[in-house]
Amino acid sequence: MGVDRRLGAVTRARAAGLAGLAVCAAAAYLPALFAWFVADDFLVLDASSRFRGIDWAFGHDTGEIGGGGHFYRPLWVSLQAAVYDVFGGHAAAWHAINLVLFAVVTIEVWALARAVLSERRAWIAAAAFAFYPRHGESVAWVTGSTDLVAVALGLGALVWGLYVRPEWAQALGSAVLGAAAVLSKEIAFVIPLLALIALPLPRRRRLVVFGALVAAQLAVLVARTVILHGAGGYSEYPWSPGRLVVVAVSYVLAAFSPPQLELTRFPVLVLVPLALLTLFVWALRRTGRRRAAWIGLAWFGVALLPGANVAVDLNNSLGERLLFLPSVGLAIAFAAIIPSRRVWPLALAGALALALSVLAARDWVTAGRIAHRTISQAARLGPPGGGELMLLTTVEAYRSASVLPTSNTLDAALARMGRRDLRTSFCSQLYVRHQRRVVQITGTGGRFEARTTWSAPFDVPVTRRAEALNLDCSYSRAKGSQWPIGLTREVTITASPPGGAALAYFDGHDLRRVR
């Protein structure tokens, strides 16, 4: 078994460059090292502490470790359990592993890009991927390691197919890595198609790699279908033409804008991604490397398919992890069309992207602090003898970072603090932009009026007026509140708290008992 030398050896200078590239990738999201656990992280910790072994993981629905849906991710689940056995609940260690995985993926992007671009532009593509500000949910969130592991293995399968010889080793290695990728997350089922799109191999060798990947992933698909009794996935996100259009629009707007732009809160900011998209199309028409650019765009479109029924929230960026694999193609397309003779424009763009990525990672640090404070306060406010704590308002996200979006995440966190006797229910959700005590609750019995400011508006459904987050509680936009879409400052809450339940609300900074 050997390496194809036609694509160039890894010289000392190139090795030094790759090391620098890995450092830059980690530096872009370095603040994540100081972040705590949020959202589904608590479900991961709980499930990892009760892990029943690898044989169990490969034979059961492992979706609940991520908070909902039905998924078959036995390899990722097993890896998380191993991390827990070594590091326990030390958040910095979990985040450090994510940064290492991100650095590995960035190097793989370089290895793929240099097969379709010049050496110089391959470095540009890898740097663009490393500094892309939309990677926060995948890199700075512990549970985002689903994407990191799957993409590291999936790109590894393609890199193996590019560089390794002889043919039998090429096919075997690609098949093993491709199967491992879909055993970590289902987004990797598009890897065979990406091999056809992006691997500049002779036709026969490319078909060998494609066939090996398809055969390996087909075997996983059969096992997945049997174990999940169907396709699995998120049942609350149906596949419909209208939703597909909305999702596609959200992907395009999110892809060409940083997470700091609240596009539905300030609709005028949509001009930013539209301007960047126009500039992109103009550069695409003028470039002499149109083939490489179209390879990147085809990669972007194909890689979006597994999540085409789940939109990116254009206010709080929840769901941007679905752009992680597609952004590889976007980075290749960008490197193909960007003028590269002058260094200073590239350096300026890189510095801006780096700053935006660091700021995105900092949101997760603050989100972790809010989560820690909220969990501690919930443990104190819950009924001393156990029972239910009903939260009329709760914090879903802080800027571009998730905090505690569902009651089962808070329940899992409370269990880790020794309050397994306490369960929670959520009535409404806040999108915290600035930590200020701005929420006011009025009403008695089972009906409450909640008001806030734009520092912490309510996150409300776009396609319907009312939503029930739990069986005994729901909320709806106040009458006359129509704009902006997805956000409002007034909601009506209908609650049916069980006997002995305690009522509390998040005021924009802390949990408070309802008087």
Side-chain angles (χ1 to χ4, degrees), residues 84-102:
Y84 184 85
D85 288 342
V86 176
F87 297 109
H90 296 285
W94 292 75
H95 286 294
I97 292 172
N98 274 20
L99 291 178
V100 171
L101 287 169
F102 182 52

Side-chain angles (χ1 to χ4, degrees), residues 48 51 74-85 94 149 153 184:
S48 296
F51 187 61
L75 182 58
W76 176 75
V77 169
S78 301
L79 290 173
Q80 298 302 98
V83 172
Y84 184 85
D85 288 342
W94 292 75
V149 173
L153 291 168
S184 299

Side-chain angles (χ1 to χ4, degrees), residues 423-480:
R423 67 182 185 277
T424 61
S425 59
F426 291 2
C427 296
S428 65
Q429 297 173 310
L430 293 167
Y431 163 52
V432 177
R433 302 170 63 239
H434 305 285
Q435 295 185 76
R436 297 169 184 167
R437 297 178 176 88
V438 294
V439 178
Q440 298 179 347
I441 299 289
T442 58
T444 57
R447 186 179 177 85
F448 299 88
E449 302 295 328
R451 294 178 175 84
T452 183
T453 70
W454 290 121
S455 292
F458 291 99
D459 190 342
V460 293
V462 174
T463 57
R464 56 191 184 278
R465 175 169 292 277
E467 169 140 40
L469 300 178
N470 291 96
L471 293 177
D472 50 4
C473 204
S474 65
Y475 71 110
S476 61
R477 296 184 78 124
K479 291 183 178 179

Side-chain angles (χ1 to χ4, degrees), residues 186-436:
E186 51 286 337
I187 59 170
F189 276 115
V190 298
I191 292 296
L193 291 177
L194 298 181
L196 287 180
I197 291 170
L199 297 188
L201 295 171
R203 184 172 182 271
R204 182 177 181 280
R205 286 186 177 273
R206 184 165 49 174
L207 290 177
V208 167
V209 174
F210 173 76
L213 286 168
V214 168
Q217 293 195 351
L218 184 60
V220 175
L221 180 62
V222 171
R224 171 192 173 93
T225 303
V226 170
I227 291 169
L228 299 184
H229 304 290
Y234 291 112
S235 57
E236 64 268 34
Y237 299 113
W239 293 81
S240 63
R243 173 175 284 276
L244 293 179
V245 171
V246 171
V247 170
V249 171
S250 77
Y251 280 149
V252 173
L253 292 177
F256 286 90
S257 64
Q260 288 80 9
L261 295 186
E262 301 168 273
L263 299 182
T264 54
R265 170 70 181 93
F266 302 105
V268 68
L269 293 179
V270 171
L271 293 175
V272 174
L274 291 181
L276 291 175
L277 179 60
T278 301
L279 186 61
F280 185 93
V281 173
W282 175 80
L284 176 63
R285 290 173 60 88
R286 292 173 59 88
T287 185
R289 292 158 296 277
R290 196 168 295 177
R291 180 178 180 276
W294 280 110
I295 286 174
L297 291 176
W299 178 301
F300 178 78
V302 169
L304 285 174
L305 293 176
N309 63 327
V310 183
V312 177
D313 191 312
L314 297 176
N315 269 319
N316 57 33
S317 298
L318 300 185
E320 69 177 9
R321 64 190 181 279
L322 300 172
L323 287 170
F324 190 68
L325 181 57
S327 68
V328 175
L330 204 59
I332 292 173
F334 171 80
I337 67 173
I338 195 75
S340 64
R341 290 184 179 180
R342 295 184 179 181
V343 175
W344 72 264
L346 294 174
L348 182 61
L352 177 60
L354 174 61
L356 292 171
S357 297
V358 170
L359 290 174
R362 288 184 60 187
D363 286 349
W364 291 88
V365 178
T366 304
R369 292 170 181 165
I370 296 173
H372 189 278
R373 184 170 66 242
T374 302
I375 295 162
S376 299
Q377 292 169 344
R380 294 196 301 269
L381 292 174
E388 181 170 323
L389 173 65
M390 178 174 285
L391 301 181
L392 299 181
T393 63
T394 187
V395 52
E396 177 189 23
Y398 170 77
R399 298 188 181 179
S400 65
S402 185
V403 181
L404 292 167
T406 58
S407 58
N408 62 340
T409 60
L410 180 53
D411 291 348
L414 289 169
R416 288 187 60 80
M417 294 190 67
R419 288 303 311 264
R420 291 188 178 274
D421 62 329
L422 186 61
R423 67 182 185 277
T424 61
S425 59
F426 291 2
C427 296
S428 65
Q429 297 173 310
L430 293 167
Y431 163 52
V432 177
R433 302 170 63 239
H434 305 285
Q435 295 185 76
R436 297 169 184 167

